Amino acid sequence: EIVLTQSPGTLCLSPGERATLSCRASQSVSSNYLGWFQQRPGQAPRLLIYGASSRATGIPDRFSGSGSGTDFTLTISRLEPEDFAVYYCQQYGSSPVTFGGGTKVEIK
Amino acid sequence: EVQLLESGGGLVQPGGSLRLSCVASGFTFSSYTMSWVRQAPGKGLERVSGITDNSGDTYYADSVKGRFTISRDNFKNTLSLQMSSLRAEDTAVYYCVKGGTRETFDHWGQGTLVTVSS
């Protein structure tokens, strides 16, 4: 099983700032099958990024994903008020599909 | 527009059973792997079960193996999860998700809450 470790656990930033979230895998993620999800309170997760760097439909271009192998990053270039939420990474290249523990982005 | 509508959650006693359903629309249901992902209160995400497009292959997390059964009806565009021998640790919001191994988890239902308590 591939274990995904996200850091930091909590990120305290102000609107307009840049957010950098990390996801490290215990072994190489097959063909970069790495996704990022946003979850706002009381809502279902929403796919932001798939294939490590492709934005899902309707996702603003301030969200970008990068990385390969075992190290991946989600960057939010300029935080908007609606971006304060919990973010999860996921690998779906090998079974079992696994999720990271999440990074909470909160308002400073 | 893709829609996934879950139902069947509720309060059940330990050892009891519950059946979750998910009705899909807005895409060719029979062409995609479907999954159930759960989230315990205040916790992260766990894929508990999945089923391929033609029901040829299924997946169960170790935590539910032997207690949960996933199925689908491609004529009725419906995904189901039969849960038995429920435990307190099964308490969670259960999401119906379009996606699986090597398939993006690109659409999620709103979730249905299962509470296991006496």
Side-chain angles (χ1 to χ4, degrees), chain B residues 49 78 83 100:
Chain B
S49 190
T78 300
M83 306 185 294

Side-chain angles (χ1 to χ4, degrees), chain A residues 30-31 33 37 39 43-45 47 50 88 90 92-97 99, chain B residues 37 39 43-47 59 95 100-106 108-110:
Chain A
S30 173
S31 300
Y33 282 116
F37 297 84
Q39 188 175 34
Q43 295 187 14
L47 177 68
Y50 65 95
Y88 295 96
Q90 175 216 36
Y92 55 103
S94 59
S95 187
V97 169
F99 294 87
Chain B
V37 175
Q39 185 171 38
K43 302 297 184 181
L45 302 168
E46 178 190 21
R47 185 195 190 205
Y59 163 81
Y95 295 101
T101 305
R102 296 180 176 253
E103 296 184 40
T104 58
F105 284 49
D106 56 1
W108 297 60
Q110 85 288 349

Side-chain angles (χ1 to χ4, degrees), chain B residues 40-55:
Chain B
K43 302 297 184 181
L45 302 168
E46 178 190 21
R47 185 195 190 205
V48 295
S49 190
I51 187 167
T52 52
D53 54 358
N54 63 358
S55 302

Side-chain angles (χ1 to χ4, degrees), chain B:
Chain B
E1 179 192 3
V2 173
Q3 289 194 335
L4 299 168
L5 188 60
E6 303 101 333
S7 61
L11 175 64
V12 61
Q13 292 188 338
S17 298
L18 212 55
R19 186 178 182 88
L20 305 184
S21 294
C22 170
V23 178
S25 62
F27 67 103
T28 306
F29 179 75
S30 60
S31 295
Y32 294 93
T33 296
M34 297 294 294
S35 297
W36 289 98
V37 175
R38 72 182 179 185
Q39 185 171 38
K43 302 297 184 181
L45 302 168
E46 178 190 21
R47 185 195 190 205
V48 295
S49 190
I51 187 167
T52 52
D53 54 358
N54 63 358
S55 302
D57 193 20
T58 57
Y59 163 81
Y60 298 97
D62 287 344
S63 56
V64 306
K65 201 170 292 182
R67 301 187 298 120
F68 290 11
T69 302
I70 192 171
S71 61
R72 65 190 295 163
D73 183 334
N74 285 344
F75 294 103
K76 295 182 178 179
N77 287 0
T78 300
L79 176 72
S80 299
L81 187 68
Q82 178 67 46
M83 306 185 294
S84 61
S85 302
L86 284 161
R87 307 166 180 166
E89 54 265 35
D90 295 318
T91 295
V93 174
Y94 286 73
Y95 295 101
C96 169
V97 187
K98 173 179 170 285
T101 305
R102 296 180 176 253
E103 296 184 40
T104 58
F105 284 49
D106 56 1
H107 290 92
W108 297 60
Q110 85 288 349
T112 188
L113 176 62
V114 172
T115 303
V116 184
S117 174
S118 54

Side-chain angles (χ1 to χ4, degrees), chain A residues 1-95:
Chain A
E1 173 175 326
I2 296 178
V3 176
L4 299 178
T5 302
Q6 292 187 240
S7 60
T10 304
L11 201 50
C12 298
L13 294 168
S14 300
E17 289 194 296
R18 181 184 189 89
T20 304
L21 287 66
S22 173
C23 176
R24 181 159 292 175
S26 60
Q27 54 189 282
S28 185
V29 175
S30 173
S31 300
N32 286 345
Y33 282 116
L34 192 288
W36 288 94
F37 297 84
Q38 177 193 67
Q39 188 175 34
R40 295 171 177 147
Q43 295 187 14
R46 175 175 72 143
L47 177 68
L48 299 175
I49 301 289
Y50 65 95
S53 60
S54 297
R55 271 188 301 276
T57 302
I59 301 304
D61 61 7
R62 65 180 180 272
F63 291 93
S64 63
S66 63
S68 64
T70 61
D71 288 291
F72 299 88
T73 301
L74 174 70
T75 302
I76 311 171
S77 59
R78 295 170 311 277
L79 283 165
E80 298 287 341
E82 62 268 28
D83 299 337
F84 291 92
V86 179
Y87 294 83
Y88 295 96
C89 61
Q90 175 216 36
Q91 72 79 22
Y92 55 103
S94 59
S95 187

